[in-house]
Amino acid sequence: VAPVAPVAPVGPRERLRGPLPRSFLLEVARQGLQLLSLRRFLRTLQRPQRHTWRANRKKPPEALLSRPFQKPPTPWSPDGFYEEAEEPGSWMEQYTGEVYIQELASMLPVEVLKAFLPLHSVRILDLCSAPGSKASQLALELTGESVLMCNEAKTSRAQILRCNLLKTGVADRCLILQEDGRHLAAAGSACFDAILLDAPCSGEGNLRRIPEVIERIQAPNYGRIKAENASLQKQLLQSAWRMLRPGGFLVYSTCTLNLQENEEVLEHLPMAEAEFMDLPARLGFPSCSSLGLRLWPHHWDS
């Protein structure tokens, strides 16, 4: 269970509530944002985030895709689209499963996995699966005898996950577990070809969308919150590593920006066994100094 509870999304016209703490600014500067890039980052946080949605290729929303003003797909997902004309949350297509309202950054982990692993007759685990955005996206890509195991510890979130998989039309490829991901490896080791770990985190990447995130960052105990998240993430990562077969692929992702919940967590992998892949080169992204990819809002409007 994540130390931080889910919070409501920000309205389309809302802005950040108050200044960002100096400690947060020092953290992003430590990662290379200086002068003009830091200024662009801060300005982007003051702008509303663009809506994005993903089309279900199994039952495509023809009426939406054929609109004369429909923009081309998002940078890394052929099924993802920006929406500027309407509020997609009111579309009937999201209730029928033709459309999934999904953030741009949220679509990337599945595209990373696709770039490294043929998704034919494979066994994959989505360790922290709810609400099902990545699971439903990934299940649509699977072929042959592939099976996707979706795990969510909390009953209420597991019910949302089940509903989204059913709406998408991929429930026949998915098995839903309701276990603590930290201890799931006790049931079996080296049994998955790939594991997706979208870990619970402090959510700094949602500053533009969720107003409570800045309140959390401004809180005096924010350092403790990050430390608790990092501890949970390390335990989940170690559990995932034990369940990955030799030669398999593990995709670790968060929706936060700090090093403590990203690179410093990955440092707890057994370095003698782990090989870190060159994501920018494989995906055609600009080179990056970190272990993976960090999606800055001012670079991708994410």
Side-chain angles (χ1 to χ4, degrees):
V1 179
V4 180
V7 287
V10 67
R13 298 183 183 275
E14 291 192 48
R15 289 188 164 201
L16 293 179
R17 300 176 181 175
L20 289 164
R22 185 170 180 268
S23 58
F24 177 80
L25 297 177
L26 289 173
E27 170 73 24
V28 296
R30 181 180 159 207
Q31 297 174 51
L33 293 193
Q34 302 286 341
L35 301 175
L36 290 178
S37 58
L38 181 58
R39 186 177 181 184
R40 287 179 58 207
F41 170 68
L42 296 174
R43 282 185 170 178
T44 302
L45 294 184
Q46 295 294 336
R47 295 200 306 267
Q49 186 171 347
R50 298 166 75 185
H51 295 297
T52 49
W53 56 276
R54 178 171 50 79
N56 185 342
R57 65 179 61 174
K58 230 179 154 179
K59 40 181 177 179
E62 300 292 355
L64 294 173
L65 294 173
S66 61
R67 293 179 298 178
F69 55 84
Q70 180 59 53
K71 293 185 178 295
T74 49
W76 45 76
S77 174
D79 299 319
F81 297 89
Y82 292 108
E83 182 58 39
E84 296 174 357
E86 302 177 46
E87 165 55 68
S90 62
W91 290 349
M92 181 57 67
E93 287 86 350
Q94 73 159 321
Y95 298 105
T96 60
E98 296 167 79
V99 161
Y100 197 106
I101 310 302
Q102 187 173 355
E103 299 300 319
L104 177 64
S106 173
M107 301 179 198
L108 185 56
V110 171
E111 298 300 326
V112 168
L113 189 55
K114 284 169 54 181
F116 287 94
L117 179 70
L119 299 179
H120 180 76
S121 297
V122 289
R123 291 177 294 179
I124 302 179
L125 170 65
D126 186 355
L127 189 55
C128 302
S129 195
S133 52
K134 298 173 186 66
S136 58
Q137 179 186 0
L138 178 55
L140 287 167
E141 302 285 352
L142 300 178
T143 60
E145 300 299 316
S146 297
V147 175
L148 175 60
M149 192 167 290
C150 306
N151 183 63
E152 172 52 49
K154 295 184 70 172
T155 300
S156 59
R157 288 173 59 81
Q159 291 171 347
I160 296 170
L161 168 64
R162 183 176 292 107
C163 178
N164 282 327
L165 294 176
L166 286 168
K167 283 195 303 183
T168 304
V170 294
D172 58 329
R173 281 207 182 270
C174 302
L175 298 173
I176 298 179
L177 294 178
Q178 198 175 325
E179 302 290 340
D180 187 330
R182 295 171 292 184
H183 310 307
L184 193 55
S189 61
C191 49
F192 292 102
D193 300 296
I195 297 177
L196 182 61
L197 172 51
D198 186 50
C201 67
S202 54
E204 293 168 353
N206 293 319
L207 270 166
R208 300 172 70 188
R209 191 171 61 90
I210 301 176
E212 284 82 354
V213 171
I214 191 167
E215 296 171 6
R216 186 185 307 149
I217 292 173
Q218 291 168 337
N221 66 338
Y222 185 54
R224 179 178 60 79
I225 291 173
K226 288 195 296 183
E228 289 176 355
N229 281 325
S231 175
L232 172 62
Q233 291 156 355
K234 291 168 189 173
Q235 294 175 71
L236 289 168
L237 186 65
Q238 289 163 0
S239 176
W241 188 257
R242 287 175 57 197
M243 291 185 282
L244 190 68
R245 68 164 177 79
F249 289 90
L250 170 64
V251 179
Y252 176 84
S253 62
T254 71
C255 58
T256 202
L257 300 171
N258 65 73
L259 296 168
Q260 189 174 354
E261 298 179 66
N262 290 297
E263 286 88 342
E264 292 177 16
V265 170
L266 294 177
E267 289 171 0
H268 285 73
L269 284 173
M271 294 301 179
E273 303 173 18
E275 179 185 358
F276 290 94
M277 313 307 291
D278 189 346
L279 300 189
R282 179 63 67 95
L283 298 173
F285 280 67
S287 60
C288 181
S289 59
S290 68
L291 288 176
L293 289 170
R294 180 173 274 96
L295 301 180
W296 293 106
H298 59 293
H299 289 164
W300 301 101
D301 199 14
S302 57

Short mmCIF file of all heavy atoms in Angstrom, two decimals, residues 9-16 41-52 82-84 87 103 205-210 297-298 300-302:
data_model
loop_
_atom_site.label_atom_id
_atom_site.label_comp_id
_atom_site.label_asym_id
_atom_site.label_seq_id
_atom_site.Cartn_x
_atom_site.Cartn_y
_atom_site.Cartn_z
N PRO A 9 -7.92 15.08 -9.52
CA PRO A 9 -7.22 15.86 -10.53
C PRO A 9 -7.55 17.33 -10.48
O PRO A 9 -8.62 17.72 -10.04
CB PRO A 9 -7.69 15.23 -11.85
CG PRO A 9 -9.00 14.61 -11.52
CD PRO A 9 -8.92 14.18 -10.09
N VAL A 10 -6.61 18.13 -10.96
CA VAL A 10 -6.80 19.56 -10.99
C VAL A 10 -7.72 19.94 -12.13
O VAL A 10 -7.78 19.25 -13.14
CB VAL A 10 -5.43 20.27 -11.15
CG1 VAL A 10 -4.85 19.99 -12.50
CG2 VAL A 10 -5.55 21.75 -10.92
N GLY A 11 -8.46 21.00 -11.98
CA GLY A 11 -9.32 21.51 -13.03
C GLY A 11 -8.50 22.14 -14.13
O GLY A 11 -7.33 22.48 -13.95
N PRO A 12 -9.09 22.35 -15.33
CA PRO A 12 -8.32 22.80 -16.48
C PRO A 12 -7.76 24.19 -16.33
O PRO A 12 -6.82 24.55 -17.02
CB PRO A 12 -9.35 22.75 -17.62
CG PRO A 12 -10.69 22.77 -16.94
CD PRO A 12 -10.49 22.09 -15.64
N ARG A 13 -8.29 25.02 -15.41
CA ARG A 13 -7.82 26.40 -15.29
C ARG A 13 -7.05 26.65 -14.00
O ARG A 13 -6.65 27.78 -13.73
CB ARG A 13 -9.00 27.37 -15.37
CG ARG A 13 -9.75 27.32 -16.71
CD ARG A 13 -10.86 28.35 -16.75
NE ARG A 13 -11.60 28.24 -17.99
CZ ARG A 13 -11.26 28.82 -19.14
NH1 ARG A 13 -10.16 29.55 -19.18
NH2 ARG A 13 -11.99 28.68 -20.21
N GLU A 14 -6.86 25.63 -13.18
CA GLU A 14 -6.18 25.82 -11.91
C GLU A 14 -4.67 25.93 -12.10
O GLU A 14 -4.09 25.38 -13.03
CB GLU A 14 -6.50 24.69 -10.95
CG GLU A 14 -7.95 24.71 -10.49
CD GLU A 14 -8.15 23.75 -9.33
OE1 GLU A 14 -7.34 23.79 -8.38
OE2 GLU A 14 -9.10 22.98 -9.39
N ARG A 15 -4.02 26.65 -11.17
CA ARG A 15 -2.58 26.79 -11.19
C ARG A 15 -2.00 26.26 -9.89
O ARG A 15 -2.73 25.91 -8.96
CB ARG A 15 -2.21 28.26 -11.38
CG ARG A 15 -2.51 28.78 -12.78
CD ARG A 15 -1.93 30.16 -12.94
NE ARG A 15 -1.85 30.53 -14.34
CZ ARG A 15 -1.06 31.47 -14.80
NH1 ARG A 15 -0.25 32.12 -13.98
NH2 ARG A 15 -1.05 31.78 -16.08
N LEU A 16 -0.68 26.24 -9.82
CA LEU A 16 -0.02 25.79 -8.60
C LEU A 16 -0.43 26.65 -7.42
O LEU A 16 -0.57 27.87 -7.53
CB LEU A 16 1.50 25.86 -8.78
CG LEU A 16 2.12 24.91 -9.80
CD1 LEU A 16 3.61 25.14 -9.84
CD2 LEU A 16 1.82 23.48 -9.47
N PHE A 41 11.00 25.01 -17.08
CA PHE A 41 10.32 24.02 -16.24
C PHE A 41 9.27 24.69 -15.35
O PHE A 41 8.11 24.26 -15.29
CB PHE A 41 11.37 23.30 -15.39
CG PHE A 41 10.82 22.42 -14.30
CD1 PHE A 41 10.14 21.26 -14.60
CD2 PHE A 41 11.01 22.76 -12.96
CE1 PHE A 41 9.64 20.44 -13.59
CE2 PHE A 41 10.52 21.95 -11.95
CZ PHE A 41 9.83 20.79 -12.27
N LEU A 42 9.64 25.77 -14.68
CA LEU A 42 8.73 26.45 -13.77
C LEU A 42 7.57 27.10 -14.53
O LEU A 42 6.43 27.09 -14.06
CB LEU A 42 9.49 27.50 -12.95
CG LEU A 42 10.55 26.94 -12.01
CD1 LEU A 42 11.33 28.07 -11.35
CD2 LEU A 42 9.92 26.03 -10.96
N ARG A 43 7.84 27.63 -15.70
CA ARG A 43 6.77 28.23 -16.49
C ARG A 43 5.78 27.17 -16.97
O ARG A 43 4.57 27.40 -16.99
CB ARG A 43 7.36 28.97 -17.70
CG ARG A 43 7.95 30.34 -17.37
CD ARG A 43 8.39 31.05 -18.62
NE ARG A 43 8.72 32.44 -18.36
CZ ARG A 43 9.17 33.28 -19.28
NH1 ARG A 43 9.33 32.86 -20.54
NH2 ARG A 43 9.45 34.54 -18.97
N THR A 44 6.30 26.01 -17.35
CA THR A 44 5.42 24.93 -17.80
C THR A 44 4.49 24.47 -16.69
O THR A 44 3.33 24.15 -16.93
CB THR A 44 6.26 23.74 -18.31
OG1 THR A 44 7.10 24.18 -19.37
CG2 THR A 44 5.37 22.62 -18.82
N LEU A 45 4.99 24.45 -15.46
CA LEU A 45 4.16 24.02 -14.33
C LEU A 45 2.98 24.95 -14.11
O LEU A 45 1.97 24.56 -13.50
CB LEU A 45 5.00 23.96 -13.05
CG LEU A 45 6.11 22.91 -13.00
CD1 LEU A 45 6.78 22.91 -11.64
CD2 LEU A 45 5.56 21.52 -13.32
N GLN A 46 3.06 26.18 -14.60
CA GLN A 46 1.97 27.14 -14.43
C GLN A 46 0.91 27.01 -15.51
O GLN A 46 -0.15 27.63 -15.40
CB GLN A 46 2.53 28.57 -14.44
CG GLN A 46 3.46 28.90 -13.27
CD GLN A 46 2.73 28.88 -11.94
OE1 GLN A 46 1.52 29.06 -11.88
NE2 GLN A 46 3.46 28.65 -10.86
N ARG A 47 1.19 26.20 -16.53
CA ARG A 47 0.21 26.04 -17.62
C ARG A 47 -0.61 24.77 -17.41
O ARG A 47 -0.10 23.77 -16.91
CB ARG A 47 0.93 25.94 -18.97
CG ARG A 47 1.68 27.19 -19.37
CD ARG A 47 1.92 27.20 -20.88
NE ARG A 47 2.58 25.99 -21.33
CZ ARG A 47 3.90 25.86 -21.47
NH1 ARG A 47 4.69 26.87 -21.16
NH2 ARG A 47 4.42 24.73 -21.91
N PRO A 48 -1.89 24.79 -17.80
CA PRO A 48 -2.69 23.56 -17.71
C PRO A 48 -2.10 22.45 -18.56
O PRO A 48 -1.55 22.69 -19.64
CB PRO A 48 -4.06 23.99 -18.26
CG PRO A 48 -4.07 25.48 -18.16
CD PRO A 48 -2.66 25.92 -18.33
N GLN A 49 -2.21 21.25 -18.07
CA GLN A 49 -1.69 20.09 -18.81
C GLN A 49 -2.67 19.71 -19.92
O GLN A 49 -3.88 19.73 -19.72
CB GLN A 49 -1.50 18.92 -17.86
CG GLN A 49 -0.82 17.72 -18.49
CD GLN A 49 -0.46 16.67 -17.47
OE1 GLN A 49 -0.49 16.93 -16.26
NE2 GLN A 49 -0.13 15.48 -17.92
N ARG A 50 -2.13 19.35 -21.07
CA ARG A 50 -2.99 18.94 -22.18
C ARG A 50 -3.61 17.58 -21.89
O ARG A 50 -2.98 16.69 -21.33
CB ARG A 50 -2.17 18.86 -23.48
CG ARG A 50 -1.58 20.18 -23.90
CD ARG A 50 -0.52 19.99 -24.98
NE ARG A 50 -1.09 19.70 -26.28
CZ ARG A 50 -0.36 19.40 -27.35
NH1 ARG A 50 0.96 19.33 -27.25
NH2 ARG A 50 -0.93 19.16 -28.51
N HIS A 51 -4.85 17.41 -22.32
CA HIS A 51 -5.52 16.13 -22.18
C HIS A 51 -4.97 15.15 -23.21
O HIS A 51 -4.67 15.53 -24.35
CB HIS A 51 -7.03 16.26 -22.40
CG HIS A 51 -7.72 17.10 -21.38
ND1 HIS A 51 -7.77 16.76 -20.04
CD2 HIS A 51 -8.39 18.28 -21.48
CE1 HIS A 51 -8.44 17.68 -19.38
NE2 HIS A 51 -8.83 18.61 -20.22
N THR A 52 -4.83 13.90 -22.83
CA THR A 52 -4.45 12.85 -23.76
C THR A 52 -5.34 11.64 -23.54
O THR A 52 -5.83 11.40 -22.43
CB THR A 52 -2.97 12.43 -23.59
OG1 THR A 52 -2.70 12.18 -22.21
CG2 THR A 52 -2.03 13.51 -24.09
N TYR A 82 -3.58 13.66 -28.40
CA TYR A 82 -3.87 14.87 -27.63
C TYR A 82 -5.32 15.28 -27.89
O TYR A 82 -5.86 15.05 -28.97
CB TYR A 82 -2.96 16.01 -28.06
CG TYR A 82 -1.51 15.83 -27.70
CD1 TYR A 82 -0.55 15.55 -28.68
CD2 TYR A 82 -1.08 15.96 -26.39
CE1 TYR A 82 0.78 15.39 -28.35
CE2 TYR A 82 0.26 15.80 -26.05
CZ TYR A 82 1.18 15.52 -27.04
OH TYR A 82 2.50 15.36 -26.71
N GLU A 83 -5.92 15.90 -26.90
CA GLU A 83 -7.29 16.41 -27.05
C GLU A 83 -7.35 17.85 -26.58
O GLU A 83 -7.06 18.14 -25.42
CB GLU A 83 -8.28 15.55 -26.25
CG GLU A 83 -9.71 15.98 -26.39
CD GLU A 83 -10.18 15.96 -27.85
OE1 GLU A 83 -9.81 15.02 -28.59
OE2 GLU A 83 -10.92 16.88 -28.23
N GLU A 84 -7.70 18.73 -27.48
CA GLU A 84 -7.80 20.14 -27.13
C GLU A 84 -9.18 20.71 -27.39
O GLU A 84 -9.52 21.79 -26.93
CB GLU A 84 -6.74 20.94 -27.92
CG GLU A 84 -5.32 20.54 -27.55
CD GLU A 84 -4.28 21.21 -28.43
OE1 GLU A 84 -4.67 21.93 -29.36
OE2 GLU A 84 -3.08 21.01 -28.17
N GLU A 87 -13.46 18.05 -23.42
CA GLU A 87 -13.04 17.39 -22.17
C GLU A 87 -13.33 15.90 -22.32
O GLU A 87 -14.49 15.48 -22.29
CB GLU A 87 -13.82 17.99 -21.00
CG GLU A 87 -13.77 17.19 -19.70
CD GLU A 87 -12.35 16.90 -19.25
OE1 GLU A 87 -11.68 17.87 -18.87
OE2 GLU A 87 -11.95 15.73 -19.29
N GLU A 103 -2.61 9.58 -19.21
CA GLU A 103 -1.58 10.60 -19.35
C GLU A 103 -0.52 10.17 -20.36
O GLU A 103 -0.23 8.98 -20.52
CB GLU A 103 -0.91 10.85 -17.99
CG GLU A 103 -1.85 11.33 -16.91
CD GLU A 103 -2.52 12.64 -17.26
OE1 GLU A 103 -1.84 13.52 -17.81
OE2 GLU A 103 -3.72 12.79 -16.99
N GLY A 205 5.56 14.34 -10.67
CA GLY A 205 5.25 14.55 -12.08
C GLY A 205 3.82 14.99 -12.33
O GLY A 205 3.48 15.37 -13.45
N ASN A 206 2.99 14.95 -11.29
CA ASN A 206 1.59 15.36 -11.41
C ASN A 206 1.33 16.77 -10.89
O ASN A 206 0.19 17.14 -10.62
CB ASN A 206 0.67 14.38 -10.66
CG ASN A 206 0.66 13.01 -11.30
OD1 ASN A 206 0.63 12.89 -12.52
ND2 ASN A 206 0.69 11.97 -10.49
N LEU A 207 2.39 17.56 -10.76
CA LEU A 207 2.24 18.92 -10.22
C LEU A 207 1.24 19.76 -11.01
O LEU A 207 0.52 20.58 -10.44
CB LEU A 207 3.60 19.62 -10.22
CG LEU A 207 4.45 19.45 -8.95
CD1 LEU A 207 5.87 19.90 -9.22
CD2 LEU A 207 3.85 20.23 -7.79
N ARG A 208 1.17 19.56 -12.31
CA ARG A 208 0.28 20.37 -13.14
C ARG A 208 -1.17 19.91 -13.04
O ARG A 208 -2.08 20.66 -13.40
CB ARG A 208 0.71 20.31 -14.61
CG ARG A 208 2.10 20.83 -14.86
CD ARG A 208 2.54 20.56 -16.28
NE ARG A 208 1.82 21.36 -17.24
CZ ARG A 208 1.91 21.19 -18.56
NH1 ARG A 208 2.68 20.24 -19.04
NH2 ARG A 208 1.25 21.97 -19.38
N ARG A 209 -1.37 18.70 -12.60
CA ARG A 209 -2.70 18.09 -12.68
C ARG A 209 -3.37 17.91 -11.33
O ARG A 209 -4.60 17.94 -11.23
CB ARG A 209 -2.56 16.72 -13.38
CG ARG A 209 -3.85 16.07 -13.79
CD ARG A 209 -3.57 14.86 -14.66
NE ARG A 209 -2.78 13.84 -13.97
CZ ARG A 209 -3.29 12.85 -13.26
NH1 ARG A 209 -4.60 12.74 -13.11
NH2 ARG A 209 -2.51 11.96 -12.68
N ILE A 210 -2.58 17.70 -10.28
CA ILE A 210 -3.14 17.39 -8.97
C ILE A 210 -2.66 18.42 -7.96
O ILE A 210 -1.48 18.44 -7.59
CB ILE A 210 -2.73 15.97 -8.53
CG1 ILE A 210 -3.21 14.93 -9.55
CG2 ILE A 210 -3.30 15.64 -7.16
CD1 ILE A 210 -2.78 13.52 -9.27
N PRO A 297 8.43 18.02 -17.78
CA PRO A 297 7.22 18.64 -18.35
C PRO A 297 7.50 19.64 -19.46
O PRO A 297 6.74 19.71 -20.43
CB PRO A 297 6.56 19.32 -17.14
CG PRO A 297 7.09 18.59 -15.94
CD PRO A 297 8.48 18.16 -16.32
N HIS A 298 8.59 20.40 -19.35
CA HIS A 298 8.87 21.42 -20.35
C HIS A 298 9.46 20.83 -21.63
O HIS A 298 9.52 21.52 -22.65
CB HIS A 298 9.81 22.49 -19.79
CG HIS A 298 11.13 21.97 -19.32
ND1 HIS A 298 11.26 21.13 -18.24
CD2 HIS A 298 12.40 22.17 -19.80
CE1 HIS A 298 12.53 20.83 -18.06
NE2 HIS A 298 13.25 21.45 -18.99
N TRP A 300 8.27 17.68 -22.90
CA TRP A 300 7.25 16.87 -23.57
C TRP A 300 5.83 17.35 -23.30
O TRP A 300 4.87 16.71 -23.73
CB TRP A 300 7.38 15.40 -23.13
CG TRP A 300 8.72 14.83 -23.44
CD1 TRP A 300 9.77 14.64 -22.58
CD2 TRP A 300 9.19 14.41 -24.72
NE1 TRP A 300 10.84 14.12 -23.23
CE2 TRP A 300 10.52 13.95 -24.56
CE3 TRP A 300 8.60 14.34 -26.00
CZ2 TRP A 300 11.28 13.45 -25.61
CZ3 TRP A 300 9.37 13.86 -27.05
CH2 TRP A 300 10.68 13.42 -26.85
N ASP A 301 5.69 18.47 -22.57
CA ASP A 301 4.37 18.96 -22.18
C ASP A 301 3.58 17.83 -21.49
O ASP A 301 2.40 17.62 -21.74
CB ASP A 301 3.59 19.47 -23.40
CG ASP A 301 2.42 20.38 -23.00
OD1 ASP A 301 2.40 20.82 -21.82
OD2 ASP A 301 1.55 20.66 -23.83
N SER A 302 4.29 17.13 -20.61
CA SER A 302 3.70 15.97 -19.93
C SER A 302 3.30 16.33 -18.50
O SER A 302 3.60 17.41 -18.01
CB SER A 302 4.71 14.82 -19.91
OG SER A 302 5.91 15.20 -19.29
#
